[in-house]
Amino acid sequence: MSKKYLANPTNTLAVINKYGFAFQKKFGQNFLIDENIVAKIVREAGVTKDDFVLEIGPGIGTMTQLLCENAREVAAVEIDKKLIPILEDTLSEYDNVTVINEDILKVDIASLAADRNGGRPIKVVANLPYYITTPIIMGLFESHAPVDSITVMVQREVADRMQTGPGSKDYGALSLAVQYYARPEIVANVPPECFLPRPSVGSAVIRLVKHMVNPVAVRDEALMFKLIRASFNQRRKTLANGLNNSSELNLSKQVITQSIEELGKGAAVRGETLTLAEFARLSDIIDSRCLRRSI
Ligand code: SAM
């Protein structure tokens, strides 16, 4: 196929019809058909000719085309094997792209960055499949793979949850986890008309710039995240009850009450009012108390 940009309804439909491609809802397939949005994502990701870019879910290659033109090298991971021959066609004129037919949740991103980018930080850019947004993003952070930014299209509501702080109904475990690892910024709101087929929800592009140094210091990261999950699993309950009822934690009522007191909060405080710094402090307080008790 000669160079034909796919980010419009006519060219996307031409490819879909040529291959008799049937959209798979189970893979979250909503392809971009708006060239301004595709260009905006690549621009906001700050992709340059120095960059190795990981694209998650290239679809028919709409954004991949632009990534290839702006990056040094692109690796595009696509789960749907029916899209692989299509990508071979639509990306045939780019020699700096590798398409990997795999489930992104099974890809070892740290090894990919080590093998293909000498272990230097990579950029992740994607119009994500919405059904696995959280595992993809948390997997990227928790793998500790060298990633300097993640610029992705997600469901609008999920973007709000990532960016918000205490006091909002959207504030939760995802907000705290994302903000522990990165600085989130919503850079575009995207209506359903920009996709084929149209999703039933609004979308947003969010850029997560990884912190060089974590914004809070905490001795036991895993304990802090258990406390965060316990607090938000039972949002309407007090922090003390949330921690007490958690199956992940095994804390005595006394440790919980005394730790919340040491944090300077009243017994009725709810987890949803705590900042990331307060969760980190609470975690260190509990950690010290448990250590003291086990010595
Ligand atoms: N990037 C294309 C675009 O913007 O037009 C397609 C985006 S579409 C929202 C999501 C893409 O992710 C689809 O191509 C889908 O097949 C792919 N996908 C879904 N689950 C995946 C997974 N676990 N690993 C890799 N790709 C996946």
Side-chain angles (χ1 to χ4, degrees):
M1 181 178 278
S2 65
K3 178 141 82 194
K4 251 191 177 176
Y5 291 107
L6 299 167
N8 60 66
T10 312
N11 291 350
T12 294
L13 278 170
V15 171
I16 298 297
N17 293 334
K18 177 177 171 190
Y19 287 90
F21 178 76
F23 289 96
Q24 297 247 40
K25 215 171 170 176
K26 69 168 183 192
F27 288 144
Q29 290 176 341
N30 300 94
F31 296 168
L32 276 165
I33 50 168
D34 186 303
E35 60 181 0
N36 294 321
I37 296 295
V38 174
K40 172 131 181 113
I41 298 173
V42 177
R43 206 167 52 242
E44 292 290 352
V47 174
T48 72
K49 276 289 166 197
D50 283 336
D51 287 319
F52 178 92
V53 172
L54 167 65
E55 187 189 10
I56 299 165
I60 58 170
T62 308
M63 190 155 65
T64 327
Q65 294 180 314
L66 225 59
L67 289 172
C68 290
E69 287 174 17
N70 285 275
R72 189 189 81 246
E73 211 187 317
V74 179
V77 178
E78 175 54 63
I79 197 169
D80 187 352
K81 65 177 188 308
K82 297 222 167 72
L83 286 167
I84 306 306
I86 305 184
L87 287 162
E88 268 163 26
D89 179 4
T90 59
L91 301 176
S92 61
E93 57 190 84
Y94 301 105
D95 60 8
N96 58 344
V97 60
T98 312
V99 174
I100 303 167
N101 184 200
E102 185 54 281
D103 176 349
I104 188 64
L105 298 178
K106 295 187 181 145
V107 174
D108 180 346
I109 294 159
S111 302
L112 190 71
D115 298 347
R116 311 284 292 281
N117 204 35
R120 289 187 309 280
I122 64 170
K123 289 196 163 99
V124 177
V125 185
N127 169 19
L128 285 180
Y130 294 172
Y131 74 105
I132 43 168
T133 299
T134 301
I136 290 176
I137 291 185
M138 292 318 298
L140 285 166
F141 287 141
E142 285 166 358
S143 70
H144 294 287
V147 170
D148 62 22
S149 66
I150 303 172
T151 306
V152 281
M153 179 88 72
V154 297
Q155 206 176 315
R156 170 75 221 214
E157 195 195 305
V158 176
D160 288 339
R161 283 189 356 230
M162 289 184 199
Q163 202 185 236
T164 199
S168 148
K169 68 167 177 35
D170 293 323
Y171 185 56
L174 181 65
S175 328
L176 285 154
V178 164
Q179 291 165 31
Y180 178 67
Y181 292 109
R183 179 170 50 79
E185 189 185 353
I186 294 176
V187 293
N189 284 315
V190 183
E193 304 82 79
C194 296
F195 303 84
L196 185 79
R198 292 181 182 188
S200 52
V201 291
S203 302
V205 180
I206 191 162
R207 183 177 52 219
L208 311 172
V209 178
K210 196 88 172 278
H211 296 304
M212 306 284 260
V213 179
N214 288 340
V216 296
V218 61
R219 274 202 301 277
D220 184 344
E221 220 174 87
L223 173 61
M224 179 179 74
F225 282 113
K226 281 183 194 166
L227 296 172
I228 290 173
R229 279 192 295 274
S231 313
F232 289 96
N233 271 346
Q234 297 185 303
R235 257 193 116 89
R236 312 257 34 102
K237 295 222 153 101
T238 61
L239 174 62
N241 278 336
L243 301 189
N244 193 37
N245 296 343
S246 162
S247 56
E248 277 192 288
L249 294 162
N250 187 16
L251 301 171
S252 71
K253 276 196 175 153
Q254 195 191 9
V255 164
I256 294 174
T257 316
Q258 290 174 345
S259 302
I260 293 175
E261 207 170 284
E262 191 179 333
L263 183 67
K265 300 286 174 183
V269 70
R270 288 199 177 161
E272 64 190 5
T273 65
L274 264 55
T275 62
L276 177 60
E278 287 171 329
F279 273 111
R281 237 193 100 227
L282 179 65
S283 173
D284 282 354
I285 292 170
I286 292 178
D287 190 38
S288 311
R289 282 184 183 274
C290 292
L291 260 178
R292 257 182 273 146
R293 285 162 69 95
S294 61
I295 290 170

